[in-house]
Amino acid sequence: AAALRPAPGQGAAARDLLALLAGGDLVQPGTARKLQDPLSFRCAPSVLGSGFAALAAARQAVELELSSAGDNPAVIAEDAVALPNANFDPTHLALAFEALGAALARVAAVSAARIMKLMSPASSDLPRFLAPVQDGSAGYGPVQKTAAALVAEIGHLAAPMPVVVLAVADGVEDYATMATATVGKTGEIVARLRLLAAVELVVAAQAVDLRPGIRLGTGSAAIHMAVRALVPRLEADRPAAPDIAAVTAFIAEGGLEPILG
């Protein structure tokens, strides 16, 4: 299906997801339960694929800067020439990171939507807030506010930097790319997205445990096991912050890379 509309990154994302699900119930014939899944699930390959494409473009921009010279003037010693130039201007880098931030904001939006769907009995057929005991327990309900706050902060950080700046140097420097600030805020987006991914993993692991009799794919089972090695199943209400922090650190340290390949 992805080949019918080969959007940038979509095919690679679809292949990665199918590889994680291989060997599980979801890829077996006749196991699908819903024809029209929520778009946060259904559009995961296209949204993640756009993120992959934006990341590749940002990487290419950085590699160009690292492998070339932005000196002004450029001194060509063998020709005894000094060439005044504007190669110090990284507009292409700033634009690549603005696009990456916007793409990651969309990745965050669908992640948060999936978190909410997993906690809703109407969507998941699981207990409300994934609380194992429906006696007024909060379950993972409070974590919804964490997800909402992270998405709001990411959306704010994804807003583009101003393109009109105050002229300095007696009017000579009347344009600035704001590339440093753009890269900085994109880094802040990544940090918050990592937290949000940890929330989704913790919530998804609980959802898996509350649905008996299912068989996960080889990759998704390995991820579930990795999360459970850090976070025990929720049996009674407890603060979620330590669990989220543990999974966030695990992601930051590259703990998922052997599974994701």
Side-chain angles (χ1 to χ4, degrees), residues 32-103:
R33 294 186 304 275
K34 294 182 179 179
L35 179 63
Q36 297 289 347
D37 290 316
L39 298 187
S40 55
F41 291 90
R42 192 176 185 184
C43 296
S46 56
V47 177
L48 291 171
S50 295
F52 289 161
L55 179 59
R59 180 187 297 273
Q60 184 179 30
V62 170
E63 290 175 347
L64 173 64
E65 291 299 307
L66 293 176
S67 62
S68 59
D71 296 339
N72 175 46
V75 178
I76 314 299
E78 56 268 29
D79 297 332
V81 173
L83 296 175
N85 63 79
N87 289 340
F88 53 82
D89 175 72
T91 294
H92 69 102
L93 182 80
L95 291 175
F97 274 82
E98 290 286 21
L100 177 57

Side-chain angles (χ1 to χ4, degrees), residues 17-36:
L17 288 171
L18 285 173
L20 291 172
L21 296 173
D25 292 333
L26 289 177
V27 294
Q28 301 304 315
T31 56
R33 294 186 304 275
K34 294 182 179 179
L35 179 63
Q36 297 289 347

